[in-house]
Amino acid sequence: MPDTTGLPAELAEIAEDFAELPVPERLQLLLEFSEELPALPERYAAAPESMEQVHECQSPLFLTVEVDEESAPEPGKRVVSLFFSAPPEAPTTRGFAGILHQGLDGLSVDEILAVPEDAPYRFSLAEAVSPLRLRGMVGMLSRIKRQVALKSRAA
Amino acid sequence: MADAQTPEQQVPESKFADYAHPERLVSTAWLAEQLEAGNPDGIVVLESDEDVLLYDTGHIPGALKLDWHQDLNDQVTRDYVDSEQFAKVMSARGIGRDTTVVIYGDKNNWWAAYALWVMTLFGHEDVRLLDGGRAKWVAEGREMTKDVPTPQPADYPVVERVDAPIRAFKDDVLAHLGQPLVDVRSPGEYSGELLHMPDYPQEGAMRGGHIPGAKSVPWARAANEDGTFKSREELEAIYLQEQGLKPQEPTVAYCRIGERSSHTWFVLTHLLGFEDVRNYDGSWTEWGNAVRVPVEKK
């Protein structure tokens, strides 16, 4: 079983789903995540420069987060939304984004800030996609957390 | 080399004819014709991408996936697969020792060239690149499919992997210092700047810079916008006239882990006819971490 200590429930479930599959099927599941990554809403699609590029990824990936100030009086309880942009010819990068979107979107500020830094290594993907590439996902997660910290403080 | 042309390309594009070993390239039009004709010569088409999921999103009909990470690298030692494993990988894809193999991939055939180079370590005679790779095939609106074929397994012999002629190790490079070296990484990696980006070290190396005396020729300079190789004349202008490299002189190419430099190895060896080119696959992830090797910064 994968180590799911400290992972939010949805991410823990994703980690278990991957671990149960043989390696080739893990790639298929990653492909499904890449296909399920939601399209950008108009306000970002029209202004990609407002998003942050994740340079650790070998393919162009941009992300941004929104903290809903209306959702709770206490900053730590406010709801976070995640937005990602990656080209279709980069399905692995899109798949990483899809995992993080499904696992983290809609969680609170505190929940996201508590996600362990090594979470990307818990999805049993190192055999299938090479550890070097997983650093791209580590980069995404750390930038998400940094943006969440900044944007919840400013609020 | 010329008699290795089976099956024959009827009308090699005039561009190909100028290259030192034109039989190493096929055009998208030629491949499409072969496939339309029912692939009479039993060519095996392999897709080798940087993005290991790309094949699964759609590929050239009949093409099989060759995963650089799982199929070509040893899973424990930092090395390529051994002879037995290579034979298995080939056999499972219906490739025999005499099969014509055409490889294509993403990113200007970067990983396709890497796969070709590894197949060359095992002495596979007839292995070619699809000029322009995946991007050109897609841009031309040619057929793509998600159907994964089930090839009839072949019986690839267990052959010795012969590294020395085309692969350099760190000690070989130390012995080679003072002779022509080509660093094919980006200018920022070459100068050493990229290691010092605030907060986000991108390279797993302790030191930035390049091997002393190396010329900086980023690998993608050899490719056109559409991913095809530049003409021989254009390539000679870069590697010979501009950089002063000479086809008769032993030359070593390197990058970060040896993949981008496989592309340059292909260009120098097969397109420009260099006689002795080795790929230093340890590249910067080895050199930039090695103790007391000379490093040059610019």
Side-chain angles (χ1 to χ4, degrees):
Chain A
M1 286 313 286
D3 176 10
T4 55
T5 320
L7 293 185
E10 184 79 22
L11 265 192
E13 202 177 303
I14 296 172
E16 281 161 11
D17 288 346
F18 273 109
E20 280 166 13
L21 295 171
V23 173
E25 287 169 41
R26 285 178 201 162
L27 280 181
Q28 285 306 313
L29 182 57
L30 187 61
L31 186 62
E32 284 169 29
F33 277 106
S34 84
E35 287 164 354
E36 287 163 9
L37 182 67
L40 284 180
E42 186 52 31
R43 62 185 181 281
Y44 293 120
E49 70 283 356
S50 66
M51 302 177 79
E52 178 179 0
Q53 180 166 9
V54 179
H55 292 284
E56 294 88 340
C57 291
Q58 289 168 0
S59 313
L61 181 116
F62 296 83
L63 63 81
T64 195
V65 314
E66 288 178 2
V67 177
D68 182 1
E69 290 172 36
E70 311 291 311
S71 56
E74 206 182 314
K77 299 271 186 283
R78 288 175 181 162
V79 172
V80 176
S81 302
L82 304 177
F83 303 92
F84 297 91
S85 166
E89 61 274 15
T92 299
T93 300
R94 283 182 67 87
F96 292 164
I99 290 173
L100 293 175
H101 187 269
Q102 190 165 320
L104 302 178
D105 189 63
L107 296 188
S108 71
V109 166
D110 285 347
E111 287 170 315
I112 290 186
L113 294 181
V115 175
E117 302 289 337
D118 69 346
Y121 296 104
R122 314 263 195 99
F123 299 103
S124 315
L125 284 168
E127 286 165 74
V129 302
S130 101
L132 268 181
R133 298 215 53 160
L134 282 177
R135 284 167 47 181
M137 195 173 177
V138 173
M140 288 184 211
L141 178 63
S142 68
R143 285 166 192 258
I144 288 168
K145 291 175 71 170
R146 204 186 49 166
Q147 280 202 26
V148 167
L150 281 172
K151 289 179 180 174
S152 57
R153 214 178 297 146
Chain B
M1 276 301 189
D3 49 356
Q5 275 183 302
T6 48
E8 214 165 316
Q9 282 192 69
Q10 283 117 0
V11 194
E13 293 176 3
S14 58
K15 182 187 95 166
F16 291 1
D18 292 335
Y19 293 136
H21 302 298
E23 73 281 3
R24 292 295 182 169
L25 282 178
V26 304
S27 65
T28 50
W30 180 85
L31 181 59
E33 274 166 33
Q34 294 293 314
L35 299 180
E36 266 161 42
N39 192 10
D41 298 304
I43 296 166
V44 173
V45 182
L46 299 177
E47 174 160 343
S48 174
D49 295 316
E50 192 225 331
D51 192 309
V52 295
L53 274 184
L54 201 49
Y55 171 88
D56 303 278
T57 68
H59 49 262
I60 295 178
L64 296 160
K65 178 176 177 174
L66 186 69
D67 184 322
W68 59 275
H69 176 242
Q70 288 187 43
D71 296 324
L72 299 180
N73 282 328
D74 186 273
Q75 295 303 303
V76 180
T77 310
R78 184 174 170 188
D79 198 0
Y80 300 101
V81 290
D82 62 18
S83 305
E84 283 77 19
Q85 188 56 29
F86 183 75
K88 272 187 209 157
V89 167
M90 293 292 114
S91 297
R93 286 162 181 74
I95 299 170
R97 195 64 170 158
D98 300 327
T99 303
T100 296
V101 176
V102 172
I103 314 182
Y104 73 99
D106 60 355
K107 309 260 167 98
N108 298 340
N109 273 333
W110 161 0
W111 297 94
Y114 187 48
L116 182 145
W117 178 76
V118 174
M119 286 187 71
T120 306
L121 290 174
F122 290 95
H124 192 91
E125 193 70 38
D126 190 358
V127 52
R128 314 169 180 195
L129 289 184
L130 176 68
D131 194 30
R134 181 183 167 98
K136 184 157 193 273
W137 185 275
V138 171
E140 290 169 345
R142 297 186 189 275
E143 192 184 348
M144 298 284 276
T145 180
K146 284 190 175 182
D147 294 341
V148 177
T150 327
Q152 186 71 35
D155 191 13
Y156 202 90
V158 175
V159 291
E160 194 192 348
R161 194 184 81 202
V162 183
D163 289 341
I166 61 167
R167 185 181 186 193
F169 295 95
K170 187 179 120 224
D171 287 344
D172 300 325
V173 178
L174 282 166
H176 182 84
L177 289 177
Q179 298 177 74
L181 279 155
V182 189
D183 183 316
V184 315
R185 299 172 301 161
S186 60
E189 290 171 283
Y190 178 82
S191 67
E193 277 163 47
L194 271 191
L195 279 182
H196 301 283
M197 275 183 65
D199 303 335
Y200 305 112
Q202 294 187 63
E203 303 274 353
M206 302 294 289
R207 287 291 183 265
H210 53 267
I211 301 175
K215 312 271 190 190
S216 171
V217 191
W219 69 284
R221 287 188 67 193
N224 292 310
E225 279 289 298
D226 66 356
T228 56
F229 287 105
K230 286 182 176 158
S231 68
R232 181 158 191 173
E233 198 182 350
E234 291 166 311
L235 293 173
E236 285 183 345
I238 297 170
Y239 294 96
L240 274 53
Q241 280 101 53
E242 178 192 305
Q243 298 295 333
L245 296 169
K246 296 190 175 65
Q248 311 77 24
E249 290 181 357
T251 304
V252 171
Y254 71 94
C255 57
R256 187 174 58 87
I257 57 171
E259 11 64 284
R260 285 173 287 182
S261 44
S262 301
H263 189 271
T264 299
W265 172 87
F266 182 88
V267 169
L268 296 177
T269 303
H270 291 313
L271 305 186
L272 294 179
F274 276 51
E275 289 156 18
D276 177 3
V277 185
R278 284 174 297 166
N279 180 18
Y280 168 40
D281 62 278
S283 279
W284 201 256
T285 49
E286 179 178 45
W287 197 272
N289 286 315
V291 176
R292 288 224 289 209
V293 295
V295 170
E296 197 168 81
K297 292 185 84 139
K298 212 182 269 176

